[in-house]
Amino acid sequence: MELNLTKPICFFDLEATGTNLAQDRIVEIAILKIFPNGNKESKTWLVNPEITIPEEVIAIHGITNEKVADEPTFKELAPKVYEMIKGCDLAGYNSNRFDIPLLVEELLRAGIDFDLKNVVAVDVQTIFHKKEQRTLSAAYQFYCGKNLEDAHTAEADTNATYEVLKSQLDRYEDLENDIKYLADYSARKRFADFAGFVVYDKKGNEVFGFGKNRGKNVAEVFEKEPGYFGWIQNADFPLYTKKVLTAIKLRKLNTKIK
C-alpha cells in the first residue's frame, strides 16, 4: 500500500556520537523524501561531528573518526538538510524520542530556526511495538520478508523503515492511510519539545516532565519561581527545549500586557 499523502514526508535516520541531545552530534544522516505523486528523492551525508566518536559507538554503526575527518560539518550541510525537509512531515524509527530532537538541536546550533509546530511526525517503531514488540531488523523480516543488510547504516535503516510502514498499512486494516492519524497513533506521549522535558497534560497545557516541578504547569511555575527559567536557560538542556520554554514565558508576559 502506498502512502496517502497531502504533502511530502521525509523518512530519515541519524547516526551520532551518542544519545545525549545537548552534547552529542550527528555523524551520518539519510533522508528519503516521498512526494504525494509517488516520486522519491534521497540524500545521504557523512558528517564531521567536530568531536571524538567514542569507540563503543563506533562498534555499533562502524563510522570511525578517520572516516568523517574530511567530511563537511553539520553547520555546512544544514542549509541543504533544511531545504530538503522544510514544509514536509517527518517519519522514522524511534524518531520521536531521538532522531527528531537531535536533528532540530543540530539545526538550531547551525542558526536555522526550525519549528515543529506544524510538523506531523510518524514513529514507525511505536506502531511496530504496539503491534508486534520487535527491533527494526525483526520488523523488516516480519513485515517485508527480507533480511536487513547493513543494519545501523543510516541509508539502509531509512529505506527499511519506509518499506515497513507501507507493509504495516497492508497488514493492519485498522490503520488509516493518513499521516496525521499515523502520527497520533505512533505518539507515546504528547511532548511540546520532543525531548520529553515539556509535555502536554490532558487539557493541552504545557507541564514539566522532569525534576521537582514534574507535572506542574510551566507558565505557573515561571510566575511563582522566576529564577527557575534562568536556571534552565543556563543549564545543559537541549536548545529546542529552551526555545519552547521561552515561547511559553513570552506568551504569559504578552497575556499580562494585554
Side-chain angles (χ1 to χ4, degrees):
M1 183 183 293
E2 291 299 327
L3 300 180
N4 181 21
L5 303 176
T6 57
K7 67 178 181 178
I9 184 169
C10 287
F11 288 76
F12 77 103
D13 185 75
L14 307 178
E15 304 299 338
T17 59
T19 58
N20 186 307
L21 298 177
Q23 297 178 358
D24 284 304
R25 301 292 188 268
I26 295 170
V27 298
E28 186 179 28
I29 177 171
I31 302 174
L32 174 63
K33 188 172 184 176
I34 313 297
F35 294 87
N37 64 2
N39 289 346
K40 302 173 187 176
E41 177 186 350
S42 63
K43 296 284 185 182
T44 301
W45 295 280
L46 284 171
V47 184
N48 182 341
E50 301 182 279
I51 61 174
T52 301
I53 308 171
E55 289 299 324
E56 61 270 22
V57 178
I58 294 173
I60 296 173
H61 55 49
I63 300 173
T64 64
N65 291 286
E66 293 74 21
K67 189 174 182 178
V68 296
D70 297 323
E71 298 295 336
T73 64
F74 189 85
K75 187 171 184 178
E76 293 170 322
L77 289 173
K80 295 179 181 178
V81 173
Y82 178 66
E83 183 64 28
M84 193 166 183
I85 67 172
K86 71 177 181 180
C88 300
D89 291 325
L90 299 175
Y93 197 85
N94 193 35
S95 50
N96 283 2
R97 292 198 294 179
F98 178 70
D99 299 83
I100 289 175
L102 182 57
L103 177 61
V104 173
E105 196 72 4
E106 288 277 43
L107 287 170
L108 289 173
R109 290 185 193 117
I112 295 177
D113 190 13
F114 186 67
D115 202 310
L116 292 166
K117 286 181 180 177
N118 297 316
V119 175
V120 168
V122 178
D123 193 327
V124 175
Q125 185 194 60
T126 302
I127 296 175
F128 185 34
H129 283 182
K130 283 186 174 183
K131 296 294 187 181
E132 306 296 343
Q133 306 293 314
R134 304 289 174 126
T135 63
L136 177 56
S137 294
Y140 197 51
Q141 177 63 49
F142 182 85
Y143 288 110
C144 306
K146 303 175 184 178
N147 292 320
L148 180 53
E149 305 294 338
D150 299 321
H152 292 298
T153 63
E155 186 172 4
D157 287 358
T158 295
N159 285 292
T161 300
Y162 170 56
E163 289 189 44
V164 167
L165 179 57
K166 293 197 297 177
S167 295
Q168 286 174 330
L169 289 168
D170 286 328
R171 179 177 289 265
Y172 304 114
E173 293 183 0
D174 61 317
L175 287 181
E176 296 179 21
N177 191 352
D178 176 83
I179 296 303
K180 179 65 168 63
Y181 168 86
L182 292 170
D184 290 340
Y185 187 89
S186 62
R188 286 183 172 84
K189 284 185 179 179
R190 292 185 62 220
F191 297 137
D193 65 339
F194 269 88
F197 292 104
V198 186
V199 302
Y200 291 106
D201 63 16
K202 293 180 179 179
K203 295 181 179 180
N205 300 312
E206 298 101 338
V207 299
F208 284 108
F210 71 97
K212 66 176 185 177
N213 289 311
R214 179 188 293 270
K216 295 182 181 179
N217 184 285
V218 172
E220 292 177 0
V221 169
F222 285 162
E223 189 168 14
K224 294 176 182 176
E225 301 179 50
Y228 197 59
F229 175 78
W231 173 77
I232 290 175
Q233 293 300 314
N234 291 314
D236 196 21
F237 286 94
L239 294 176
Y240 194 73
T241 299
K242 294 179 181 180
K243 172 183 166 73
V244 168
L245 291 172
T246 299
I248 295 170
K249 185 174 178 63
L250 290 174
R251 188 177 68 210
K252 185 70 173 179
L253 289 173
N254 289 336
T255 302
K256 281 186 175 182
I257 293 171
K258 291 178 182 178

